[in-house]
Amino acid sequence: MYSQSTLNSIQKAVWDGKLPLQIELAASESRTFDQTDPYLISCPRISYLPTLLPRLHAFFSSSLIDPISSPHDGWLSFEGVPLKWHLPIGLLYDLYAGADPASKGDRDASEDATEPPTDDTAGGSLPWRLTVHFSDWPNEELVRLDANGMVMNDAFINSVKEADFLRNGTAKKIMSLSKEDSSGLWMAVEEVDLPSYQRISNILLPPPNQPFRNIPIRFFLPLPPDSGSPSLKIVQSPVPPSLPPSSMAASQAALSRGSPAPQTQTIGSALHSLLPNLFPSRRTPVLAKPVLHGAAVPMSAPVEEVVRSCAYGDGWLYIVIRMMG
């Protein structure tokens, strides 16, 4: 078990993580003969694409064919795929463009990363090249944004409420937040203000001596292009922080007239339970590996410690499953 100071340092590393982005205006929307210069930025992994739209619109406004478009008309794509604006940027990169985080050496992938990297310059095709559009909104893939940012704010808060319900078995904590703290939670993520975020999120989290009821965790499985399904499959199920004692342990406890100690739920045990075909072993990644914030997650990591230190701003663990070999 890690100390609280260690968990805090891991959380700081997560919030410090950035991705270099190279964003180009869609050629069909540019009134210049030659392609316009790209917009370059180092963007926090925990942030969201809509936060970039005002500066992108200002940067490309002189090149737009449609001068009356607004920042909230903007959406971004990668290799022709509209990017879900309600998902954090770091997760989107891990899903669509992330490099293989496993070591090329002899160490097991589950031991390669005990802390997330502070940037993604160690591998992958960087900067991440995206295209911004201010017309032809993909209505079938994305919900439209609004000028005041309330659609993004509401989507974030609804996700926080879902995480709060899983953690505590009720959403009373998030519902009882003051209006100032409720809006401040999103503002802290938008401004990447970790101290302000920690002050508010600590109100929502169970204290360290009180276990979560369930872990807010989602596993993302990219599907092949010819699968006939959406490009992503999301696996989610209630994941308690502890495993029920095995039948053998229960029998031994009955003989000794004691209570069997619960086993700690790990990333490996959760994956083995939810995706046994991909994770036949609880300890070693054989066919696939879990990736979080650009790093391979140790299979032995307790899920509660991981969510306390490595959750995204909405309180969720978003883990990408990467096939091996």
Side-chain angles (χ1 to χ4, degrees), residues 153 156 180 182-193 196:
N153 179 84
F156 176 81
E180 180 182 2
S182 182
S183 60
L185 191 66
W186 164 242
M187 189 178 300
V189 173
E190 190 175 24
E191 298 177 355
V192 198
D193 182 354
S196 296

Side-chain angles (χ1 to χ4, degrees), residues 255-270:
L255 292 175
S256 60
R257 295 182 179 181
S259 298
Q263 295 178 317
T264 299
Q265 180 91 261
T266 64
I267 293 294
S269 62

Side-chain angles (χ1 to χ4, degrees), residues 234-254:
I234 302 174
V235 176
Q236 177 184 335
S237 182
V239 176
S242 299
L243 293 168
S246 65
S247 57
M248 181 177 294
S251 299
Q252 291 175 346

Side-chain angles (χ1 to χ4, degrees), residues 110-232:
S110 65
E111 299 175 355
D112 287 340
T114 56
E115 293 188 10
T118 55
D119 59 53
D120 284 81
T121 57
S125 178
L126 292 176
W128 193 23
R129 292 174 172 82
L130 304 178
T131 301
V132 64
H133 313 252
F134 290 98
S135 64
D136 299 323
W137 186 277
N139 290 298
E140 294 185 2
E141 289 89 0
L142 302 178
V143 174
R144 281 190 173 270
L145 298 168
D146 67 309
N148 299 320
M150 291 308 299
V151 173
M152 178 69 243
N153 179 84
D154 290 349
F156 176 81
I157 293 300
N158 285 337
S159 189
V160 173
K161 290 177 181 178
E162 292 176 356
D164 191 45
F165 183 82
L166 284 169
R167 284 191 304 257
N168 301 296
T170 174
K172 288 182 179 179
K173 288 193 174 184
I174 180 64
M175 298 301 290
S176 62
L177 277 184
S178 66
K179 185 177 181 180
E180 180 182 2
D181 282 345
S182 182
S183 60
L185 191 66
W186 164 242
M187 189 178 300
V189 173
E190 190 175 24
E191 298 177 355
V192 198
D193 182 354
L194 180 57
S196 296
Y197 175 81
Q198 288 175 325
R199 181 189 67 79
I200 302 171
S201 66
N202 286 341
I203 300 173
L204 304 177
L205 292 175
N209 61 350
Q210 178 182 331
F212 285 31
R213 183 162 183 172
N214 284 296
I215 305 298
I217 186 169
R218 287 176 175 145
F219 298 103
F220 289 75
L221 289 79
L223 297 177
D226 58 352
S227 63
S229 301
S231 59
L232 299 174

Side-chain angles (χ1 to χ4, degrees), residues 75-92:
W75 55 281
L76 289 100
S77 65
F78 173 66
E79 296 184 350
V81 178
L83 296 176
K84 306 290 187 182
W85 53 256
H86 67 282
L87 298 179
I89 292 174
L91 170 61
L92 291 171

Side-chain angles (χ1 to χ4, degrees), residues 10 44 68 96 128 170 178-179 245 248 272 279 283 304 321 325:
I10 296 175
I68 64 172
Y96 292 105
W128 193 23
T170 174
S178 66
K179 185 177 181 180
M248 181 177 294
H272 177 72
F279 294 91
R283 297 177 178 84
E304 185 168 334
I321 304 304

